[in-house]
Amino acid sequence: MSRQDATDLLMGEKEGGVFLVRDSISIQGDYVLCVREDSKVSHYIINRIQQNEQTKYRIGDQVFNDLPSLLAFYKLHYLDTTPLIRPAPRKVETVIAKYDFDGSDQDDLPFRKGDILTIISKDEDQWWTARNVQGQTGSIPVPYVQKFDSQQGITCVTQSLREGHSPTTGHIEPAKRTNVQRKLPAYARVKQGRVPNAYDKTALKLEVGDIIKVTKMNINGQWEGELNGKVGHFPFTHVEFVDSENNDGIDDS
């Protein structure tokens, strides 16, 4: 869960002291304690440290043997304006398939129109990780599904599916992941604008038509490159490579 996702979730709670613990994005292995305090959400870093072959957890100047001990301590002591009152409810998001999807990669999760899937993580703009009712997990194309609200009833879902287009009549194909080994660095043109989260200092701001010098293609879909003198990462779904024969106007310097 990102910092912004945690903030949005906790700001939806009405009382202070509601909390959750998420993985740290900036330091692998560390955690972040996120707490609703007054009219804001505070994020406290929890460092995982090794002491005499033992793993301990440090928050501020306090050190604990494990996370349950840390949480128990702050249920009795204030962080800033409140102790920990209760954990935030886990938000479960489900989607329903609009079309059949057979999958083409071993990491894909095939499904049929009408299947209900639970979202595990939103890894990319066009590809998410989901779980089906059999407990199988894998990648699914976002344009093939839509949000499913069980409170709206099956009737509404069935009606929306009947009104939907079939895969052969103009639905939006997802930008398919590519395994092409392209010689880097290479140039790519931005086809979809993006304003990154204010807390993500390493993300590049994209404007349609920008030319990015791609330096690394990560399998998680977050590529790395250089744009306007800044080095950072960006979703591969927002760009398309500029073929060498079409490099008119690109300065290789």
Side-chain angles (χ1 to χ4, degrees):
M1 179 180 287
S2 70
R3 180 187 180 104
Q4 189 60 52
D5 288 339
T7 299
D8 292 343
L9 177 60
L10 291 173
M11 286 302 292
E13 297 293 326
K14 296 181 180 179
E15 60 181 328
V18 182
F19 69 94
L20 61 85
V21 178
R22 61 180 174 87
D23 292 310
S24 170
I25 295 177
S26 57
I27 305 177
Q28 186 175 6
D30 284 359
Y31 299 96
V32 180
L33 174 60
C34 309
V35 188
R36 173 68 188 266
E37 297 192 85
D38 292 334
S39 59
K40 64 182 173 109
V41 174
S42 300
H43 301 263
Y44 299 94
I45 188 71
I46 301 175
N47 300 120
R48 186 168 64 174
I49 57 178
Q50 293 294 129
Q51 289 186 352
N52 301 324
E53 299 183 354
Q54 286 186 323
T55 301
K56 296 194 175 183
Y57 300 87
R58 181 179 62 208
I59 178 171
D61 57 359
Q62 300 283 342
V63 178
F64 302 89
N65 292 327
D66 51 44
L67 286 177
S69 299
L70 183 153
L71 297 177
F73 178 85
Y74 283 106
K75 287 179 180 178
L76 300 175
H77 299 80
Y78 276 59
L79 286 152
D80 183 9
T81 62
T82 179
L84 302 180
I85 304 299
R86 63 174 174 85
R90 181 179 293 273
K91 194 172 183 180
V92 178
E93 183 176 353
T94 55
V95 295
I96 186 167
K98 297 190 289 184
Y99 318 109
D100 292 347
F101 174 64
D102 295 326
S104 57
D105 296 339
Q106 62 178 4
D107 294 333
D108 289 342
L109 177 65
F111 52 78
R112 290 291 172 262
K113 179 178 177 179
D115 284 355
I116 305 297
L117 306 171
T118 300
I119 301 304
I120 297 175
S121 60
K122 297 182 178 181
D123 314 288
E124 306 167 13
D125 288 339
Q126 298 288 310
W127 291 89
W128 294 348
T129 299
R131 180 176 58 248
N132 61 21
V133 293
Q134 287 80 32
Q136 300 167 321
T137 62
S139 297
I140 64 170
V142 176
Y144 280 62
V145 300
Q146 66 184 30
K147 183 178 179 181
F148 174 66
D149 186 351
S150 59
Q151 295 180 351
Q152 293 177 350
I154 299 299
T155 303
C156 295
V157 173
T158 303
Q159 181 180 0
S160 89
L161 287 175
R162 287 172 178 169
E163 294 172 351
H165 297 293
S166 68
T168 59
T169 56
H171 78 288
I172 302 173
E173 284 286 351
K176 187 60 180 174
R177 295 158 294 182
T178 177
N179 295 319
V180 175
Q181 293 300 315
R182 186 177 288 259
K183 185 178 179 180
L184 298 179
Y187 291 97
R189 179 177 286 105
V190 176
K191 61 181 181 179
Q192 181 179 343
R194 180 173 186 261
V195 178
N197 188 301
Y199 296 107
D200 192 348
K201 302 301 182 183
T202 61
L204 294 177
K205 180 181 178 181
L206 307 180
E207 293 186 5
V208 176
D210 284 347
I211 299 297
I212 296 180
K213 185 177 183 180
V214 181
T215 56
K216 187 175 182 181
M217 295 186 294
N218 299 313
I219 60 175
N220 65 358
Q222 289 292 322
W223 289 0
E224 299 174 23
E226 182 179 346
L227 174 63
N228 299 326
K230 180 179 179 181
V231 176
H233 65 83
F234 57 93
F236 84 99
T237 52
H238 286 53
V239 304
E240 57 186 359
F241 279 113
V242 179
D243 293 333
S244 57
E245 60 268 21
N246 295 326
N247 272 356
D248 297 339
I250 297 179
D251 183 359
D252 287 335
S253 62

